[in-house]
Amino acid sequence: MKINWFPGHMKKALDEMRNELTKADVIVYVLDSRAPKSCLNPELSRLTNGKPILYILNKIDLTDFDRLEKMQNDFKGEKIDCMLVNSTQSGLGSAVCAKIKQLCRDKIKKFQDKGIGVTVRALVVGVPNCGKSTLVNNLCKKAKAVTGDRPGVTKGKQWFKIGNGVEICDTPGTLYPDLNDQEKAKSLAFIGSIRDEILDEVELGNEFIARLEKLYPGRIAERYKTAGSLEEICRVRAFLLPGGEFDISRAAKAVISDFRSGKLGKIMIEG
């Protein structure tokens, strides 16, 4: 299965981000912690232009937390920090503001030394469906950013105050123009960052089962009480078409849905 998806609105969004970045002091980069490295968009990384970055490793309630903890240092460095979060958790705003201010401490101190208060601005970026707008709503303590469980919901730039001296801008989720690494592309498809409508759902289901068996052997058998093929899942779950044929498409959708909702357990789906 070859995956390549970069609709026109994403190119437009990247162009708009270039303008907003000139106003931003720091980048808040939201990653889905079920596939954090696959969520790193090289186009976005080039746009950051050396600005401080706060990586938000989101959806920790759905991922393999032991594996995530071991890799968190990959998202730390000079002018780079990370947080492991569930974007719906309470009390997140003050912690995120503190991290943003810490990364912008030189600018804040420069103005404080002159007796001037300053507002630091953070641009929130990420691939589609990584939880950016849910995070923004949490930080604003109200539903200001439009959210949805499908990619492409956030349509334009939105700036909000989230605390004393901190503003953030939510941006549309964007992928990169050429998904050369197909393993990463599949990871993005599994977590819902690529529209299901453009994918072959049966191929996606088969690819997912193969990946899951490699990373978490026996997880499919544990959930479906079967060896793990889509045909076997159809048999066990009685997913049948008129005439008794297996409804392979329904089985594929069920497997992907069970992964995304956490019914298959806590999983990091990239190797």
Side-chain angles (χ1 to χ4, degrees):
M1 178 176 63
K2 173 73 173 176
I3 300 173
N4 198 22
W5 185 59
F6 188 69
H9 74 266
M10 289 190 183
K11 181 181 186 304
K12 181 180 178 183
L14 283 171
D15 291 340
E16 289 178 353
M17 272 185 235
R18 289 185 181 92
N19 295 327
E20 295 306 313
L21 273 166
T22 62
K23 309 170 190 174
D25 300 294
V26 61
I27 309 300
V28 174
Y29 204 142
V30 185
L31 310 174
D32 187 319
S33 62
R34 295 170 297 177
K37 294 190 176 179
S38 298
C39 289
L40 289 169
N41 182 340
E43 289 294 314
L44 291 178
S45 299
R46 280 190 282 272
L47 288 176
T48 58
N49 196 27
K51 291 180 185 289
I53 300 175
L54 174 60
Y55 287 108
I56 300 288
L57 299 170
N58 192 24
K59 304 188 181 183
I60 60 171
D61 55 316
L62 297 174
T63 197
D64 183 333
F65 196 76
D66 290 340
R67 287 185 62 199
L68 185 65
E69 278 194 310
K70 290 174 183 176
M71 71 163 55
Q72 64 178 312
N73 285 337
D74 295 342
F75 298 95
K76 294 183 178 181
E78 186 179 359
K79 299 198 297 182
I80 299 173
D81 206 346
C82 76
M83 297 177 68
L84 280 55
V85 312
N86 174 351
S87 60
T88 64
Q89 71 194 56
S90 61
L92 189 57
S94 58
V96 171
C97 283
K99 286 281 190 181
I100 289 172
K101 288 182 176 180
Q102 178 64 18
L103 286 166
C104 297
R105 59 189 177 275
D106 291 344
K107 176 176 179 176
I108 293 172
K109 185 177 185 305
K110 176 181 176 181
F111 279 84
Q112 283 180 339
D113 288 346
K114 298 176 181 178
I116 303 171
V118 64
T119 294
V120 293
R121 310 186 88 184
L123 194 70
V124 186
V125 302
V127 299
N129 208 34
C130 64
K132 292 185 299 84
S133 295
T134 300
L135 175 70
V136 169
N137 289 339
N138 189 348
L139 298 181
C140 295
K141 299 182 175 61
K142 60 183 69 176
K144 286 191 173 182
V146 179
T147 64
D149 60 356
R150 54 188 169 79
V153 171
T154 306
K155 296 299 183 184
K157 61 185 180 182
Q158 304 173 72
W159 282 96
F160 309 117
K161 287 186 178 294
I162 64 167
N164 184 26
V166 179
E167 290 183 355
I168 60 173
C169 177
D170 188 26
T171 63
T174 53
L175 294 172
Y176 23 113
D178 192 358
L179 293 165
N180 287 320
D181 188 330
Q182 283 295 293
E183 291 306 299
K184 288 184 177 180
K186 290 171 189 175
S187 295
L188 291 170
F190 297 151
I191 64 175
S193 292
I194 296 173
R195 284 194 183 278
D196 291 333
E197 294 85 351
I198 72 157
L199 302 169
D200 184 308
E201 57 201 12
V202 173
E203 284 193 55
L204 185 66
N206 282 325
E207 294 278 4
F208 175 78
I209 288 173
R211 177 84 66 85
L212 191 63
E213 278 300 299
K214 180 180 177 181
L215 295 173
Y216 299 90
R219 189 67 65 91
I220 290 288
E222 180 182 341
R223 169 69 178 167
Y224 301 107
K225 313 303 180 189
T226 177
S229 69
L230 293 177
E231 290 80 3
E232 282 296 300
I233 292 171
C234 285
R235 184 182 59 79
V236 171
R237 292 292 178 90
F239 292 162
L240 303 175
L241 294 167
E245 291 184 28
F246 289 150
D247 191 344
I248 304 296
S249 177
R250 184 179 176 189
K253 288 179 181 177
V255 170
I256 296 297
S257 176
D258 283 353
F259 161 64
R260 291 175 182 171
S261 64
K263 291 178 182 177
L264 282 170
K266 298 181 185 301
I267 293 169
M268 186 180 290
I269 201 58
E270 61 184 9

